[in-house]
Amino acid sequence: ERERERCPTLGHCHLAQTAQLTALWSIGQALWQRSWAAALSVHFAWTGQAAVMLPVLQERIRHDTVRLLGRSYTALAAADVAAHVALSPEDALACA
């Protein structure tokens, strides 16, 4: 009953939650496989706590990936950096 008060169209909320969970699962799978670019390329209109946490997580992944690339390579093309952090080459260079 309380769920119905929060969401009058219960079916719609269930579908939205399922879609969000599916997107979160995709990120989790990509992180497990250490595919940082795949984790960063999941785009979703997050709601609730995910709307707060996911942008922070994505920024942290980008920051750590750029730092790792900087320690691993003496020279790297902007397009390669962009591919690793799921940004345009211009935005990737701004992160570096």
Side-chain angles (χ1 to χ4, degrees):
E1 185 62 36
R2 183 168 181 218
E3 184 69 24
R4 286 205 182 274
E5 290 173 12
R6 204 176 85 207
C7 184
T9 56
L10 191 57
H12 173 71
C13 280
H14 178 69
L15 290 176
Q17 289 172 349
T18 301
Q20 182 164 289
L21 183 58
T22 300
L24 285 169
W25 183 252
S26 295
I27 291 172
Q29 287 175 315
L31 292 175
W32 179 260
Q33 296 169 356
R34 296 184 178 172
S35 178
W36 315 127
L40 291 169
S41 65
V42 174
H43 298 287
F44 193 80
W46 305 108
T47 60
Q49 286 293 340
V52 176
M53 295 171 53
L54 268 294
V56 173
L57 175 65
Q58 288 180 320
E59 256 331 286
R60 181 59 188 248
I61 294 169
R62 270 196 187 95
H63 176 268
D64 290 350
T65 301
V66 167
R67 195 176 74 206
L68 178 64
L69 291 171
R71 287 189 312 207
S72 302
Y73 298 95
T74 56
L76 192 61
D80 293 332
V81 176
H84 284 286
V85 294
L87 292 174
S88 70
E90 296 79 22
D91 290 339
L93 287 178
C95 285

